[in-house]
Amino acid sequence: MDSIIQTYQLTKTFKNEEIIEPLDFTLRKGEICALIGKNGAGKSTFFKMLAGQLMPTTGDIQLFGKSGKKIGKSKKRMGFMIETPEFFPDFTATQNLEYFRIQRGVTEKKRIYEVLQIVDLANQKKKRFKDYSMGMKQRLGIALCLLSSPDCLVLDEPINGLDAEGIMEIRKLLLKLNQEKQITILVSSHILTELQLLATRFVFLKNGVIVDDLSKQTLDEKSKKQIHLKVDDVAKAARLLEQGYADIQYKILPDHLITIQNHVEEGGEINRLLIDNEVFVMEFRMEALNLEEYFLGLVEGNEK
């Protein structure tokens, strides 16, 4: 698969403090990759290096296979929204984008209408930016990213501060850009539950270090429901489970606990099987693994 972004041993140090430790990362064509970490984990620093707003201390960045002096041309194929863009408050969306179109040397004037259509702001012709909702402002920021018809978007916290409706609008927009326009997306957030609905890959950053890198399939596997049992005789319970269900998937934990990963919908029958065979069930419950807690465990701690 073609790589869009590739970093090799990328580091960033401020005043002798290493914000990004040697970081190897690859973004492949077609992905929606979520970069997840608490505030201060190094997400924005990493994005600013990709955008050329900060120079790496050491290491190398490749965009579309180009690095060094050749990277400039590749950057034109990227759209960055690292901080909220500074729009003119008294301008409409069209007026704001016309200013940036001229500034950025985008020749086709009709591109403004096209991007406003994509982000669903084409019908807001007279509304001035200062009267926009937060969600509309974020969508205009994405429209600005799209002005030069990029192949890849890098978005830093695009859903931060949005209400539920605004978050849903941004999610639908990013999915549309990825699926209909084939735009690869690297997006950061600390809101895991929302990113689960959007991303195809999840990279977790802590203190400038990647601590986990999972596909959506792996993440979904981790979030499946399971049966949680506490019994007086673990060995007998395990034997009964294996006799009753040939393909049973279970784990024996300390303190007489057993977790069962499949046959979850047959929980009642499993409970009855144990009771009928004189296994005392002290606790029986269904639970989904709490991904927020699990992954906050990965990324919490003393952030730089």
Side-chain angles (χ1 to χ4, degrees), residues 90 112 146 162 230 253 282:
D90 286 313
I112 292 173
L146 295 171
L162 298 186
K230 188 169 187 177
L253 305 173
M282 295 170 272

Side-chain angles (χ1 to χ4, degrees), residues 24-25 31-32 54 66 70 79 95 125 134 143-144 147 182 197 211 215 217-218 243 257 264 281 287:
D24 293 323
F25 171 79
E31 289 185 317
I32 301 180
L54 286 175
K66 306 292 183 192
K70 296 179 182 175
Q95 289 168 330
K125 287 180 179 155
M134 188 67 180
L144 178 58
L147 207 52
Q182 281 74 56
L197 301 170
V211 290
S215 67
Q217 184 181 355
T218 305
Q243 288 169 354
L257 294 175
V264 176
V281 180
E287 62 175 23

